[in-house]
Amino acid sequence: NSWQQTNDGSLSGMCSSFGWYFGQVRVDPNNENNVFVMGVYAYKTTNGGSSWSETGYSMHVDHHAMYIDENTGLIIEGNDGGLYKSTNGSNWNKINNIPLTQFYYITFDFTHPDRIYGGTQDNNTIRTMTGNVDDWEAILGGDGMYCLVDYENNNNVFAEMQNGSLFKSEDGGYDFDYIAGPM
């Protein structure tokens, strides 16, 4: 019903330059002094905002969603690395039984169509050599963006990361060299 400014100094910079993308607040439905804020990092207070501390060092960054069950106290948190759960907001366990990711772009090897490549949100450029859902591997880090396998020579694989960082592999995607220098 009402808000008042608290000690928000330790929250400075938690949303980097894109706080509009996160910028969410969650209040424990059973204790109004327990508050979580989500950004690149997640912070919590247990004293109504007089002090804040980073929570979830074991979690991936870029926090987008949180649900606090008012009956059980279970907290479910969603970020660019997946889903996590906690019973106290300090110790987090990843929920590993949901094979999901957010792809920016997907392509495949035209000479071996089961080989699928994809650039993912904050989780690398990844691929499967078999087309299965359980054997994807990271081949280039960061935010995976566009990727392409040469149509005639599948040893040539191109992949990029955020900010236009373009890489080329000449060994089928095992080793990459940065090729965007002149750009």
Side-chain angles (χ1 to χ4, degrees):
N1 290 330
S2 63
W3 291 85
Q4 66 184 39
Q5 186 169 352
T6 62
N7 177 15
D8 57 358
S10 60
L11 299 178
S12 177
M14 68 166 284
C15 288
S16 187
S17 61
F18 49 109
W20 53 269
Y21 189 59
F22 311 104
Q24 297 196 32
V25 176
R26 294 293 184 272
V27 179
D28 184 333
N30 294 309
N31 184 343
E32 66 186 20
N33 290 312
N34 295 335
V35 181
F36 295 85
V37 293
M38 294 173 280
V40 173
Y41 306 103
Y43 283 80
K44 75 172 188 171
T45 180
T46 58
N47 54 23
S50 294
S51 63
W52 295 89
S53 60
E54 188 177 343
T55 184
Y57 292 104
S58 61
M59 288 193 288
H60 197 280
V61 295
D62 297 346
H63 304 275
H64 298 281
M66 181 179 286
Y67 172 76
I68 305 170
D69 187 291
E70 65 182 301
N71 296 315
T72 65
L74 179 66
I75 305 167
I76 303 292
E77 200 275 348
N79 57 56
D80 282 3
L83 290 174
Y84 291 77
K85 64 182 178 179
S86 176
T87 56
N88 60 17
S90 296
N91 301 313
W92 298 89
N93 294 307
K94 186 168 184 179
I95 301 171
N96 277 322
N97 62 350
I98 304 172
L100 59 90
T101 194
Q102 177 183 347
F103 284 95
Y104 284 119
Y105 185 79
I106 296 175
T107 192
F108 63 94
D109 180 339
F110 282 80
T111 61
H112 297 282
D114 286 343
R115 296 180 183 174
I116 304 168
Y117 295 73
T120 67
Q121 162 61 35
D122 214 10
N123 283 281
N124 311 306
T125 296
I126 60 176
R127 73 169 172 200
T128 173
M129 300 295 270
T130 66
N132 292 326
V133 297
D134 62 352
D135 64 352
W136 289 78
E137 62 180 337
I139 60 172
L140 186 66
D143 281 312
M145 298 291 176
Y146 288 98
C147 46
L148 178 70
V149 180
D150 187 312
Y151 300 144
E152 296 176 2
N153 179 356
N154 66 356
N155 283 320
N156 295 323
V157 178
F158 298 88
E160 68 176 347
M161 295 173 11
Q162 65 269 29
N163 303 315
S165 297
L166 182 61
F167 293 80
K168 179 182 181 183
S169 172
E170 294 179 344
D171 63 2
Y174 292 99
D175 297 295
F176 282 86
D177 292 314
Y178 180 75
I179 61 169
M183 292 186 246

